[in-house]
Amino acid sequence: MFLFIVRRLIASALLLLVASFAVYIMMAYAGDPLGFLNEITNPTQRAAIERDVTEALSLDTSPVVRYFHWLGDALTGDFGISARTRQSVNDELASRIPVTLKLVAASSILSIVIGVIVGIVTALRQYTGFDYIVTFFTFVFFSLPVFWIAVILKDVGGIRFNDWLRDGASISTPVIVTLAIFAGIVGYSIAGGRTPRRLAIASISAVVAAGLLVYLSVSEWFLKPGIGLPVLIPMAAGIAVGVTAIFAGIANRKALYSALSTAALGCVLYTPLQTLFDESGMGWWWTLLLLVVTLVASYLIGIAWGGYDKGLSARVSMLVGFLVALVIFVDRHLQSWQEYSSNPVIRNRPIKTIGDKEARLEGSFWVLNNDTFSHLILPTMALMLISLAAYTRYSRASMLEVLNQDYIRTARAKGLTERTVVVRHGLRNALIPLATVIAFDIGGLLGGAVITETVFEWNGMGRLFIEGLQNLDPNPVMAATMVVGATAVVANIFADIMYSVLDPRIRIHDQ
Amino acid sequence: MSDDHLLPPDPDEVSEMDDLRVDPHRESDFEKFPDELTHEQREVAGLSQGQIVRKRFFRHKGAMISLVVLAFIIIVAITSVGAGPIPGWYQWQHTDLIPPVQDEGPTISVVPSFLGGEGLAWGEHPFGVDNQNGKDLFALTMRGVQVTLVVILVLALLSVTLGVMIGALAGFFGGWTDSVLMRITDVILILPLLVIVSVAAFSFGASGLWSVALALGLFSWTGLARLVRAEFLALREREFVDAARVAGASPTRIIFKHILPNTVGTIVVSTTLLMGAGILTEAALSFIGFGIQAPNVSLGALVNDYDTAFGTRPWLFVFPGAMIVIIVLCLQFIGDGMRDAFDPRQKRIPKFKDLEKKQEETKADMATRPNRMHLGG
């Protein structure tokens, strides 16, 4: 294994070297990085800048020599200066990588979670209406030019949504009817069994959707969002029962009771937590600490209920604990929503279409988080559409592949319940190839948001690259390419290793 | 046992299968185990690989609809504004300056009159007008479709040639040929496509049709090369390749006559999907300023030009963009249909109707024994 990693690292380093040479030479022949000098009117200033930049980038030598100058610096971790701004590219990288990470992390996590769930469900309901609808939409999402949908999102999701909020945030009857019918169709096509049962499920989902929308409209929920204890309690109970039903089965009483007690504990702690949340020191470190405490407590609850399968109860309980904590965390943000929205800097137009944060905004941890969220939502949606489609297809294919295996037939023949077959024998194995795909994708993430960053004007890696290219500025382009290339290479190796760790049938040989 | 021979897994075994079909021993096999013939096996029995693929493809509704839509778009795009010296039936060209009109909006209508629309109407300016620049959007869009199609055709041609050549050589010869070619592929693969194509298009002299098409084509073949290589690695170990070698066939002949025809499925499918992705990459390139730029027209360039018009004159932005979505969607569905058609492991869940029919057939077969059961055909 160690030899394998070393060999791959050396090979990848050589690859990066060749790739960097190719890009550098192409950049050098693409044009003159000093072209912007014509914009400077003062001749002495122009000459001074020309001299400085020429010296810093060794423009007076041939591109090949220049490349080796650059390489020497780059190997010591110095990516030089930008010809245009004469700022250190390293500083640029330091300020831009977090921005890009913020953008891509949110969309990746969401699209992985949603995509895998939808993909698994479509695989289980292969060749049903739901499967066809989802397949059609994944194809549509694949076919969308990112910037086209991003511009539409900016207008519809940003400007018009903010107008809609200003006009009272009421949902009109035709919209409610349409969405309810849609919910009914989805319910009908997901549900299994005979037609009467499916019709019943369809009408229930339609009525629930309609009721929910009417409530949201009448209570002006979008202006004054919140969850609150009355909604939290049934929600936590639902989470507990749902998680148990999927991962342990309702028949496993110990697991059910541990899940329910964790949920109950969450509800009991809701009120005392609010005072803690309002402390001025509240921040991400506190959040992390609370999360760890939550997970440990839920684990202990699971163990305390005992039984022959303590570990399973503990895991179910931990997942419930995490989800309930998430709801409480989101609830606290929603409580601060009005404070955020009515802030004079925001002027009741909360959904932002430009930038990654409102620099002039001041407020508590929660208000600032709401600000981040309202900046993130539109670019995240634009980025999500495509990766969501990809993950849905991957996980559907992977799950179908697994479900056709002999060991699934064996599991069924043993008389295991459908839940055990699907979750324990199917899902686990279907996730193995998915894990490597995810590792691979994460490597490409840093460079993957070029278009989205440009449309939504986020100052991330993608824009560093594009602006460098537009200004024929070699150093920023090279730095961006190298960072993206290096992460891609490392992710690639990591994906291979992960595959062999997760799937013992695949072995990495040192020879 | 009999199952494996009935579903031809590869074209090279088709002739073999045909022989087996008339083999008396086989016939008795069918007689002994009539139920071992599954529904899908009956459907393909007696057909050549090409026939099976075609039959499966024609059955894929999405692919067929997409094929019709795509053909319609291509025909309209070529005939309306004409190509080269040949004039089209539409009254304006993308270069024509047209006088400002009162109502800039699109005049095309597909809403029937009983729903309050104007019925199926074409109108003076079906996709609307850009009064600021004096352009008719339909002429622009159709010209954009033409340019975009040329770009992806060049892209497909270049990628297939390069990808197949490199993949075939690497897979067939192995050894250091394989190492060198695959390392070159890796270099291109680790850099994001958008990055390398924009640098390349830039160094070829940006904004023209050919430089963009060339840059896209020169760097999009990597995926195809890897797929073809994998196919070749598997196929070169097969008996029919050994047979050809023993018979004295040269490597060129083995590659082109014996192995390549077996990889057509993979190549066709991934090329179709590559063309779809190529349209999106071209559009993205135009958007960040390294693709085809005004005054040249492509769908991506149009969307890019009108991206600020969405709030006030949405049709300028929506029609070219929707055209991209429709074309790429069609290519996706055609690719999907072909993947299903070429995949020998492809299983089709039979409809209840068919199953009932099959049951009746089986019953009828049982009744009419010892007649030969018919093979579906």
Side-chain angles (χ1 to χ4, degrees):
Chain A
M1 179 70 104
F2 176 73
L3 256 179
F4 168 82
I5 297 175
V6 170
R7 269 219 328 266
R8 284 290 303 267
L9 277 177
I10 293 173
S12 314
L14 288 174
L15 276 184
L16 274 179
L17 207 64
V18 177
S20 70
F21 182 72
V23 175
Y24 198 91
I25 297 299
M26 278 199 279
M27 274 306 285
Y29 285 106
D32 181 11
L34 291 172
F36 70 95
L37 285 175
N38 295 331
E39 294 162 17
I40 302 167
T41 42
N42 182 345
T44 28
Q45 200 189 353
R46 181 165 44 187
I49 291 174
E50 186 173 358
R51 202 179 51 239
D52 288 355
V53 174
T54 309
E55 202 204 313
L57 272 67
S58 14
L59 287 175
D60 43 357
T61 54
S62 83
V64 180
V65 178
R66 218 186 301 162
Y67 168 74
F68 285 103
H69 273 290
W70 174 85
L71 186 66
D73 287 344
L75 285 180
T76 58
D78 176 16
F79 285 111
I81 63 160
S82 151
R84 181 87 181 205
T85 59
R86 290 179 301 288
Q87 302 285 313
S88 153
V89 176
N90 285 28
D91 294 349
E92 288 272 344
L93 281 181
S95 74
R96 281 164 188 255
I97 289 178
V99 174
T100 296
L101 279 182
K102 191 157 78 175
L103 178 62
V104 294
S107 68
S108 322
I109 292 171
L110 278 173
S111 47
I112 289 170
V113 171
I114 301 174
V116 169
I117 292 175
V118 174
I120 300 288
V121 174
T122 49
L124 295 178
R125 296 269 180 269
Q126 198 191 7
Y127 299 125
T128 59
F130 180 71
D131 186 26
Y132 286 127
I133 295 173
V134 170
T135 305
F136 179 76
F137 276 105
T138 50
F139 279 2
V140 172
F141 290 165
F142 269 135
S143 314
L144 290 173
V146 183
F147 57 93
W148 189 71
I149 198 66
V151 169
I152 293 182
L153 273 177
K154 264 171 95 166
D155 193 81
V156 176
I159 298 166
R160 291 191 200 175
F161 187 79
N162 282 334
D163 286 349
W164 177 73
L165 286 183
R166 183 195 60 201
D167 296 341
S170 68
I171 308 168
S172 66
T173 321
V175 175
I176 294 180
V177 172
T178 319
L179 287 176
I181 291 175
F182 182 73
I185 292 173
V186 171
Y188 182 83
S189 45
I190 295 184
R194 301 231 159 241
T195 313
R197 177 170 179 259
R198 299 174 73 183
L199 281 176
I201 290 176
S203 35
I204 291 172
S205 25
V207 168
V208 168
L212 194 65
L213 287 168
V214 170
Y215 167 75
L216 292 179
S217 174
V218 171
S219 65
E220 294 184 335
W221 190 86
F222 285 96
L223 294 176
K224 306 184 276 261
I227 296 173
L229 202 52
V231 184
L232 176 70
I233 293 172
M235 219 165 163
I239 290 173
V241 175
V243 169
T244 317
I246 292 175
F247 292 101
I250 290 292
N252 187 339
R253 292 291 152 180
K254 299 276 185 192
L256 182 64
Y257 295 150
S258 26
L260 282 173
S261 14
T262 309
L265 183 67
C267 296
V268 170
L269 288 178
Y270 174 80
T271 321
L273 271 175
Q274 301 303 318
T275 31
L276 180 65
F277 284 160
D278 289 336
E279 291 290 320
S280 59
M282 185 66 200
W284 283 113
W285 286 114
W286 270 103
T287 314
L288 194 67
L289 183 69
L290 285 175
L291 181 66
V292 171
V293 171
T294 310
L295 290 180
V296 171
S298 348
Y299 178 79
L300 292 178
I301 290 176
I303 294 294
W305 275 101
Y308 69 96
D309 207 354
K310 277 185 261 194
L312 180 65
S313 305
R315 286 198 297 276
V316 167
S317 164
M318 276 166 86
L319 185 57
V320 172
F322 174 76
L323 290 175
V324 172
L326 189 70
V327 175
I328 296 175
F329 191 61
V330 170
D331 171 78
R332 184 59 190 81
H333 280 104
L334 293 179
Q335 289 176 35
S336 290
W337 183 259
Q338 268 185 295
E339 185 191 342
Y340 164 71
S341 184
S342 58
N343 190 298
V345 183
I346 305 300
R347 299 194 322 276
N348 285 318
R349 297 192 74 79
I351 304 299
K352 297 293 171 197
T353 57
I354 281 173
D356 67 322
K357 58 173 179 282
E358 182 61 69
R360 292 167 298 164
L361 184 74
E362 283 173 5
S364 65
F365 173 69
W366 310 102
V367 172
L368 291 178
N369 275 350
N370 276 333
D371 182 54
T372 308
F373 167 75
S374 65
H375 281 91
L376 263 177
I377 181 159
L378 291 179
T380 302
M381 277 165 79
L383 273 180
M384 254 179 68
L385 287 182
I386 289 160
S387 41
L388 184 67
Y391 286 123
T392 309
R393 292 307 284 173
Y394 281 138
S395 46
R396 177 177 181 273
S398 170
M399 189 72 182
L400 282 178
E401 176 91 32
V402 167
L403 286 182
N404 279 327
Q405 298 286 322
D406 288 342
Y407 57 77
I408 295 291
R409 196 184 309 177
T410 311
R412 289 224 167 90
K414 280 195 293 191
L416 296 180
T417 59
E418 186 62 16
R419 188 200 63 74
T420 318
V421 173
V422 169
V423 175
R424 211 176 279 179
H425 296 246
L427 185 64
R428 282 193 173 189
N429 288 301
L431 290 180
I432 294 174
L434 219 61
T436 61
V437 170
I438 290 170
F440 192 73
D441 275 7
I442 286 174
L445 279 179
L446 280 181
V450 173
I451 308 275
T452 316
E453 280 178 12
T454 314
V455 177
F456 291 100
E457 298 179 29
W458 281 54
N459 278 321
M461 293 286 291
R463 285 193 97 197
L464 179 72
F465 169 75
I466 290 300
E467 283 165 1
L469 211 54
Q470 280 161 348
N471 298 330
L472 294 169
D473 197 348
N475 283 345
V477 174
M478 291 307 293
T481 318
M482 285 302 102
V483 172
V484 173
T487 38
V489 162
V490 172
N492 222 331
I493 299 175
F494 185 66
D496 280 354
I497 297 171
M498 202 144 95
Y499 206 92
S500 85
V501 170
L502 289 178
D503 189 346
R505 287 170 299 184
I506 312 281
R507 287 262 173 261
I508 290 175
H509 295 291
D510 282 346
Q511 288 309 305
Chain B
M1 30 164 229
S2 61
D3 300 25
D4 297 327
H5 291 282
L6 268 174
L7 244 189
D10 258 310
D12 49 277
E13 285 182 5
V14 168
S15 55
E16 207 181 335
M17 194 205 74
D18 283 343
D19 293 343
L20 286 174
R21 198 161 50 87
V22 291
D23 179 7
H25 171 68
R26 305 286 306 175
E27 295 265 19
S28 68
D29 247 13
F30 292 153
E31 212 173 317
K32 261 194 280 175
F33 314 105
D35 291 337
E36 289 205 351
L37 268 183
T38 63
H39 181 73
E40 55 202 82
Q41 282 172 337
R42 280 191 202 196
E43 279 193 345
V44 296
L47 296 178
S48 76
Q49 178 77 2
Q51 284 170 315
I52 297 169
V53 168
R54 233 167 304 151
K55 196 174 163 192
R56 284 203 186 128
F57 183 70
F58 288 146
R59 208 165 45 199
H60 197 287
K61 285 197 200 78
M64 289 317 288
I65 296 172
S66 305
L67 207 59
V68 172
V69 172
L70 194 60
F72 176 74
I73 290 177
I74 293 175
I75 291 170
V76 171
I78 293 176
T79 58
S80 60
V81 293
I86 308 155
W89 49 260
Y90 191 63
Q91 59 198 110
W92 285 291
Q93 288 289 314
H94 70 281
T95 44
D96 291 348
L97 269 181
I98 59 168
V101 291
Q102 197 69 39
D103 182 17
E104 292 185 276
T107 55
I108 194 171
S109 156
V110 286
V111 185
S113 41
F114 57 83
L115 281 176
E118 295 167 17
L120 259 180
W122 191 246
E124 191 79 345
H125 299 283
F127 286 5
V129 176
D130 171 17
N131 264 351
Q132 278 174 14
N133 299 313
K135 296 281 187 189
D136 177 80
L137 191 69
F138 183 74
L140 282 179
T141 309
M142 289 303 116
R143 174 70 188 165
V145 172
Q146 286 185 7
V147 171
T148 302
L149 286 176
V150 172
V151 170
I152 59 165
L153 281 181
V154 174
L155 159 85
L157 219 63
L158 271 174
S159 312
V160 170
T161 321
L162 284 170
V164 169
M165 286 308 291
I166 291 173
L169 291 176
F172 186 77
F173 291 110
W176 65 267
T177 325
D178 184 30
S179 309
V180 170
L181 290 175
M182 281 302 111
R183 290 300 84 75
I184 295 175
T185 316
D186 285 348
V187 169
I188 296 176
L189 214 60
I190 59 166
L191 298 171
L193 186 67
L194 207 60
V195 171
I196 195 150
V197 171
S198 39
V199 175
F202 212 88
S203 37
F204 292 154
S207 90
L209 191 171
W210 296 106
S211 63
V212 172
L214 209 64
L216 273 176
L218 282 179
F219 296 104
S220 309
W221 50 265
T222 44
L224 193 61
R226 284 193 155 190
L227 286 175
V228 173
R229 172 178 172 268
E231 292 264 333
F232 265 71
L233 281 179
L235 286 170
R236 71 168 185 193
E237 307 296 335
R238 297 277 289 270
E239 291 84 352
F240 68 93
V241 175
D242 286 342
R245 206 173 273 137
V246 169
S250 67
T252 325
R253 190 178 166 82
I254 295 176
I255 290 178
F256 286 105
K257 286 272 173 186
H258 295 270
I259 304 187
L260 200 57
N262 286 310
T263 61
V264 166
T266 315
I267 297 173
V268 170
V269 171
S270 57
T271 310
T272 316
L273 299 178
L274 197 66
M275 284 162 85
I279 297 182
L280 295 181
T281 316
E282 184 271 321
L285 277 177
S286 288
F287 179 76
I288 53 175
F290 301 102
I292 295 169
Q293 297 289 314
N296 288 322
V297 177
S298 79
L299 289 178
L302 281 177
V303 177
N304 180 26
D305 288 348
Y306 291 126
D307 70 339
T308 49
F310 185 69
T312 49
R313 299 177 293 168
W315 61 90
L316 293 178
F317 181 75
V318 169
F319 278 107
M323 204 53 90
I324 296 180
V325 176
I326 293 171
I327 295 177
V328 180
L329 193 60
C330 286
L331 287 170
Q332 294 264 5
F333 269 107
I334 294 172
D336 191 55
M338 285 200 285
R339 191 192 342 241
D340 284 359
F342 277 111
D343 188 355
R345 290 176 308 167
Q346 149 84 2
K347 278 189 200 148
R348 200 171 67 101
I349 302 268
K351 295 205 174 86
F352 271 115
K353 258 193 317 200
D354 298 341
L355 276 180
E356 277 166 13
K357 216 167 84 186
K358 185 207 162 190
Q359 267 180 352
E360 276 162 27
E361 266 172 32
T362 322
K363 265 185 223 154
D365 280 343
M366 299 294 236
T368 54
R369 279 192 180 199
N371 288 353
R372 301 265 178 261
M373 62 167 288
H374 75 116
L375 284 171

